[in-house]
Every structure is written in structure tokens, then in C-alpha cells.
Amino acid sequence: MKTIGLIGGMSWESSAEYYRIINEEVKLRLGGLHSAKCLLYSVDFEEVERFQAKGEWDKAGELLGDVALALEKGGADFIVICTNTMHKVIAHIERKITIPVLHIADATADQIKKSTIRKVGLLGTKYTMEQDFYKSRIESSGIRVIVPNEDERVMVNKVIYDELCLGDIQEASRAYYKKVIQNMINEGAEGIILGCTEIGLLVKQEHSVIPLFDTTVIHAIEAVNKALEK
């Protein structure tokens, strides 16, 4: 079994989900008392969020690159960044290390391609929804990506940072997300990417009439695939 290097803490709420899903999947596949070989380096999200808000992505990339290097030195065979947004700085991270990074958007696109879906709605932070680093990665697989309107993007982002990252699950916010999803369905979305690793804490498949692609689950299971590959 390969050792998974997890860059977590962005937020720790979703990092805990990664740890749970990865270990449950290893136990399911291998049985007995098996659990995942992994290293988790959990950063202080307050520091990272300040870099995001100021647009200081280079500084954020340097920070996470140092974290990845520490994981490599600690014995990790590959890196999993437990967040969608910070894949924006993946180039900074890859320059610091010699082991591969398992990209969350690639894993998600591969999962979508297993269906007949070719147009998806994207929910995430404002950075993920509005900038090109994530959408273009999905669209390079022949999948069209649409996002909510500007007012909806503001509110979706606010719920992530003010509630979900703090473990605060509000029924009113769930209802709002369901409305946003329906609006994207009305625009032709055949599936929805939960493109922030906290959104799955709020919105489940039962809340949508079309398929949801929970990036936390997809990424964590792909990490297990890679850890157990021959």
C-alpha cells in the first residue's frame, strides 16, 4: 500500500471527511483491521484564507509547497490537496516535490465521463466558480461547465466561509443551495459538481433530482485507488 500525503485544514471539517472516507474505503476493500497508510499535514486555514482574500496566491502556493515537501520527506508517495480552491496553486506545489499530485478536477472529470452527462453546474468558492483554473480542467475533458449568477455566487461563497468551514449546517442555506441547483437545471445542467469539499456536508444526493458529484468523496476514493494500485 502506498502512503497518501494529505494537505488538509482547508477546512479541517472536510479534511476529517477525507480521513474517514479513505479509511472506510480501505477497510471495505481489504477487510480485517486494515486502514490507510497516510500522513496528514493540517494547515492553519486563517493564514491561507488571508492570502486568498488579498489575492496573494504566490504566497499561498509557497506555503502549501513547503507542506507538500514535508509530506514527501515524511514518506508520502503522492499528494492529495484536500480542497478544490487551492488547486489554483498546484504548479507551486509541484515545483517543490518529486512525487505526483492527484488533481481533484481530473478525478471528478473521470467520474462524470463514466455517465452520459456532458453539461454540469459548478458550485464552489467564488474563486473556483469565477476563475479558469478549475473550470478549464473539467472542460478539457469535453464537459461543459456553467455556474450560478453573480448574486448566487456571492451567497454560495458566503455560506461556505461563514458556515460550512465552521461546521455550521443551516437548513435555510440548504434550501438556498437547492434553489441555486434548480436554477442551473433550468439552464440545462445534467449534473452538479459540489466543487468545494465542504458542500457535501450540506447538500446530499437526496436534495437533487439530478446527479451530484461530491468532489470530496470522488477525490478520497481516487486516493485509495492510487494507494492500492499494483
Side-chain angles (χ1 to χ4, degrees), residues 17-69:
E17 284 295 291
Y18 268 89
Y19 188 74
R20 178 186 63 80
I21 294 164
I22 286 170
N23 280 286
E24 286 182 351
E25 188 70 14
V26 169
K27 180 177 69 174
L28 178 66
R29 297 192 196 185
L30 300 183
L33 296 175
H34 282 290
S35 56
K37 291 173 64 177
C38 62
L39 302 170
L40 170 61
Y41 192 130
S42 190
V43 303
D44 180 1
F45 191 33
E46 178 74 20
E47 184 178 6
V48 175
E49 193 278 331
R50 283 201 300 268
F51 289 143
Q52 291 178 345
K54 293 178 181 178
E56 295 178 338
W57 296 100
D58 288 347
K59 291 182 179 179
E62 286 297 312
L63 171 66
L64 297 188
D66 289 342
V67 169
L69 181 59

Side-chain angles (χ1 to χ4, degrees), residues 141-183:
S141 294
I143 301 161
R144 185 181 171 197
V145 178
I146 62 173
V147 297
N149 66 41
E150 185 175 359
D151 289 342
E152 290 171 338
R153 294 197 302 270
V154 169
M155 189 61 185
V156 166
N157 184 78
K158 180 176 174 60
V159 168
I160 291 168
Y161 282 94
D162 293 355
E163 297 174 19
L164 302 183
C165 287
L166 301 173
D168 184 11
I169 308 301
Q170 295 285 340
E171 189 59 42
S173 296
R174 180 178 290 122
Y176 185 81
Y177 269 54
K178 288 169 66 177
K179 185 180 77 171
V180 173
I181 288 171
Q182 185 58 54
N183 289 342

Side-chain angles (χ1 to χ4, degrees), residues 109 113 117-119 136-145:
K113 285 190 293 184
I117 291 169
R118 289 298 174 265
K119 184 177 182 180
S136 64
R137 195 97 178 195
I138 298 290
E139 290 182 328
S140 68
S141 294
I143 301 161
R144 185 181 171 197
V145 178

Side-chain angles (χ1 to χ4, degrees), residues 6-230:
L6 300 161
I7 302 180
M10 299 171 286
S11 68
W12 73 262
E13 295 283 346
S14 62
S15 301
E17 284 295 291
Y18 268 89
Y19 188 74
R20 178 186 63 80
I21 294 164
I22 286 170
N23 280 286
E24 286 182 351
E25 188 70 14
V26 169
K27 180 177 69 174
L28 178 66
R29 297 192 196 185
L30 300 183
L33 296 175
H34 282 290
S35 56
K37 291 173 64 177
C38 62
L39 302 170
L40 170 61
Y41 192 130
S42 190
V43 303
D44 180 1
F45 191 33
E46 178 74 20
E47 184 178 6
V48 175
E49 193 278 331
R50 283 201 300 268
F51 289 143
Q52 291 178 345
K54 293 178 181 178
E56 295 178 338
W57 296 100
D58 288 347
K59 291 182 179 179
E62 286 297 312
L63 171 66
L64 297 188
D66 289 342
V67 169
L69 181 59
L71 288 168
E72 180 176 11
K73 289 180 177 179
D77 292 301
F78 63 97
I79 297 295
V80 171
I81 311 166
C82 302
T83 161
N84 287 271
T85 299
M86 296 315 296
H87 280 74
K88 178 176 171 67
V89 300
I90 191 171
H92 291 79
I93 295 169
E94 290 175 330
R95 281 198 293 268
K96 288 283 186 82
I97 58 178
T98 61
I99 57 177
V101 180
L102 191 65
H103 201 296
I104 195 168
D106 293 346
T108 301
D110 287 344
Q111 190 66 32
I112 296 169
K113 285 190 293 184
K114 292 177 182 178
S115 70
T116 59
I117 291 169
R118 289 298 174 265
K119 184 177 182 180
V120 294
L122 172 63
L123 296 174
T125 67
K126 62 181 180 181
Y127 312 108
T128 301
M129 291 186 289
E130 295 176 359
Q131 299 181 20
D132 194 51
F133 70 92
Y134 191 91
K135 290 184 291 186
S136 64
R137 195 97 178 195
I138 298 290
E139 290 182 328
S140 68
S141 294
I143 301 161
R144 185 181 171 197
V145 178
I146 62 173
V147 297
N149 66 41
E150 185 175 359
D151 289 342
E152 290 171 338
R153 294 197 302 270
V154 169
M155 189 61 185
V156 166
N157 184 78
K158 180 176 174 60
V159 168
I160 291 168
Y161 282 94
D162 293 355
E163 297 174 19
L164 302 183
C165 287
L166 301 173
D168 184 11
I169 308 301
Q170 295 285 340
E171 189 59 42
S173 296
R174 180 178 290 122
Y176 185 81
Y177 269 54
K178 288 169 66 177
K179 185 180 77 171
V180 173
I181 288 171
Q182 185 58 54
N183 289 342
M184 288 194 286
I185 292 173
N186 295 343
E187 293 182 32
E190 303 165 302
I192 302 292
I193 297 174
L194 305 184
C196 169
T197 52
E198 284 80 29
I199 295 178
L201 301 172
L202 180 69
V203 179
K204 311 291 185 183
Q205 185 58 63
E206 66 201 62
H207 302 128
S208 172
V209 297
I210 62 174
L212 301 181
F213 296 92
D214 186 338
T215 54
T216 303
V217 175
I218 292 168
H219 203 202
I221 290 177
E222 187 60 24
V224 174
N225 292 341
K226 188 167 183 64
L228 297 182
E229 70 183 7
K230 302 297 185 182

